[in-house]
Amino acid sequence: MVQNSVLLVDDDAKLVKLLKIYFEKDGFIAYTAADGIDALMAVREHKPDIMVLDLMMPGIDGWEVCRRLRKDNDIPIIMLTARDEESDRLVGLEIGADDYVIKPFSSKEVVARAKAILRRTNRAVLRKVTIKTGGLTIDMNSYQVSRDGEAVVLTPTEFKIVELLATNPGKVYSRLQIAEQVHGYTFEGYERTIDAHIKNLRRKLEINPKEPVYIQTVYGMGYKLAGVAKNE
């Protein structure tokens, strides 16, 4: 059985120690870092499967860590924030985080969310399917997306949304349906969370994000992907 690894990043030593206990109890290899610089080094050295990242840290904060990683790394990231500000959460999601947890939180919940994300990203692909629409190519087998032949780096959550829409072309999904399929649960503010991910996807996939061709909004209902062709 493959053992998953997690990188826990927070300048609160007691909180990190507690999270480490819970993750290791659930079979994870747990690495820790107390600041942004150590976190970036730990990602390169240990290549963890997932990261739990505090936003508010001295020096390089969690937002900057996330920005730097998203330039060339698709590691799943769960944000930790002590501020119950929707704007903070949306900024974090827009720069590439996959999920967020507000302090104070249950350590068991953090572990459960990490496991849910890893189940999605590590799942076996049963069918070798390539989906194409215009210049967009979605390879379900290699878990990659390209536009006009150029690879596009998506976070695991972003890919899951594209996969959901692409495997059911033309079908309209509400924000609630997308959240349930992608996260496996819904939570306060899920509608704005899905909107943030869609905004990210359009910025990465569309030639003009303000006039989307691929991911289209059906006002009052949700989102759909423009008609596609499947190649088995």
Side-chain angles (χ1 to χ4, degrees), residues 125-132 137-141 166-169 228-232:
V125 179
L126 299 179
R127 295 180 300 151
K128 296 184 178 181
V129 177
T130 298
I131 294 176
K132 295 183 178 181
T137 301
I138 306 160
D139 190 329
M140 301 297 191
N141 191 48
T167 51
N168 299 277
V228 300
K230 291 186 180 180
N231 295 323
E232 302 289 341

Side-chain angles (χ1 to χ4, degrees), residues 2-73:
V2 177
Q3 189 173 21
N4 287 314
S5 59
V6 61
L7 174 61
L8 308 171
V9 186
D10 200 306
D11 58 340
D12 184 336
K14 290 183 179 179
L15 184 148
V16 168
K17 182 178 180 180
L18 183 62
L19 282 174
K20 188 171 187 290
I21 289 171
Y22 274 86
F23 271 98
E24 290 181 340
K25 191 175 180 179
D26 219 295
F28 281 77
I29 298 172
Y31 305 107
T32 64
D35 57 46
I37 292 294
D38 286 345
L40 293 170
M41 293 175 61
V43 169
R44 296 189 189 95
E45 179 180 357
H46 302 297
K47 296 179 174 58
D49 297 304
I50 193 166
M51 170 189 270
V52 178
L53 175 66
D54 183 40
L55 288 182
M56 304 301 292
M57 294 185 295
I60 297 179
D61 59 26
W63 281 289
E64 182 60 23
V65 170
C66 193
R67 286 190 190 94
R68 293 190 187 188
L69 286 175
R70 283 297 174 250
K71 291 179 180 178
D72 58 9
N73 196 307

Side-chain angles (χ1 to χ4, degrees), residues 108-180:
K108 288 183 178 180
E109 179 186 0
V110 177
V111 174
R113 291 200 186 193
K115 290 171 67 177
I117 290 173
L118 289 174
R119 278 197 298 271
R120 298 197 305 268
T121 58
N122 293 339
R123 73 196 185 291
V125 179
L126 299 179
R127 295 180 300 151
K128 296 184 178 181
V129 177
T130 298
I131 294 176
K132 295 183 178 181
T133 175
L136 197 65
T137 301
I138 306 160
D139 190 329
M140 301 297 191
N141 191 48
S142 65
Y143 215 58
Q144 294 180 339
V145 175
S146 62
R147 191 186 74 184
D148 297 327
E150 184 174 345
V152 179
V153 178
L154 301 183
T155 70
T157 297
E158 290 166 358
F159 186 90
K160 182 66 176 177
I161 292 174
V162 170
E163 180 185 45
L164 174 66
L165 298 178
T167 51
N168 299 277
K171 179 177 179 179
V172 179
Y173 285 89
S174 68
R175 295 175 178 84
L176 175 60
Q177 290 172 322
I178 295 173
E180 289 178 336

